[in-house]
Amino acid sequence: MTTCLTFLSATAEETTGVFGDPFSLASGPLRTADSPHPGFPPYSLAVRGPSARCARTAGALGLETVPESALRDFDYGRWYGRTVADVVAEDPYGYSAWLTDPDAAPHGGESVRDLCERTARWLDALPSDTDRALAIVEPSVIRGALVHALSVPARAFRHLDLPCPPAVVSLILRGDGWHVRYGHGSASEVHQATPDEPVSSARARPADRRTAGRE
């Protein structure tokens, strides 16, 4: 069976200048719609990261989603809620290591490799009867999923550029492995990510998916 998993980013990369999502749901009501956007097809599985940003994105689109802790953003440890400028001023070497070493966790939270492996475990555990799924997540989770799908080492994480926000990335699992399609956030882009369409994309061999992110 072919599985089409579409990731939609809840926010643009590096736009807030703050580590994590310090804005709680209590900061204001969710903007909701009466019904899903007409461009969105039905999904057998619709999940989102547990952050307020992901919840607000789902609400604005009128999508009913279930929070999934495995698709959360990085655990930023001591850096959570702090600005990038403050961290760079206080710990420039730690920040540099965070950007260059996939095993570094100078903030005491998760490393890049930790996030990639957590995301990979979730992908591998998708029910075999899932045909079309949607996940509203932070950009870091999309990158982690790409590391796994493309069977590239974790050090490639920061070299995987996402489309202009809001990013749409579809992973289509067929017999020969994962195929990747990039979109640009419109409802038509999400609608077009169907399991049966031909995809011109990168592909990972099934055997490689077991070791992705471990280098």
Side-chain angles (χ1 to χ4, degrees), residues 9-214:
S9 68
T11 184
E13 292 188 280
E14 309 299 336
T15 57
T16 63
V18 177
F19 289 100
D21 182 13
F23 306 103
S24 71
L25 289 173
S27 63
L30 295 179
R31 175 174 168 248
T32 59
D34 293 333
S35 60
H37 192 292
F40 291 126
Y43 297 99
S44 58
L45 177 69
V47 296
R48 60 173 171 81
S51 73
R53 280 193 294 246
C54 292
R56 290 179 184 280
T57 300
L61 295 172
L63 293 169
E64 293 187 8
T65 55
V66 177
E68 173 54 67
S69 63
L71 299 181
R72 63 190 180 276
D73 195 7
F74 281 108
D75 173 359
Y76 287 105
R78 295 184 299 274
W79 293 357
Y80 182 82
R82 299 187 61 188
T83 66
V84 173
D86 285 346
V87 169
V88 171
E90 179 181 291
D91 186 11
Y93 297 108
Y95 184 71
S96 178
W98 166 245
L99 294 179
T100 57
D101 181 358
D103 292 305
H107 41 55
E110 283 184 303
S111 67
V112 165
R113 192 182 305 278
D114 290 336
L115 180 139
C116 290
E117 292 181 346
R118 163 163 57 83
T119 306
R121 288 193 296 271
W122 183 82
L123 285 170
D124 287 341
L126 278 173
S128 59
D129 60 349
T130 302
D131 56 353
R132 191 196 304 269
L134 174 72
I136 299 174
V137 296
E138 305 288 349
S140 61
V141 176
I142 300 179
R143 284 182 171 191
L146 287 172
V147 165
H148 183 60
L150 297 175
S151 298
V152 296
R155 62 177 176 272
F157 177 89
R158 299 195 186 280
H159 300 282
L160 295 170
D161 293 333
L162 298 182
C164 295
V168 173
V169 176
S170 294
L171 303 185
I172 299 173
L173 181 61
R174 298 192 177 120
D176 59 347
W178 291 103
H179 296 250
V180 180
R181 171 184 286 148
Y182 292 90
H184 298 285
S186 68
S188 61
E189 289 276 6
V190 179
H191 178 71
Q192 290 169 7
T194 60
D196 299 326
E197 290 182 351
V199 182
S200 175
S201 61
R203 186 173 69 235
R205 297 188 302 276
D208 291 342
R209 291 188 283 121
R210 294 194 299 268
T211 58
R214 296 178 187 174

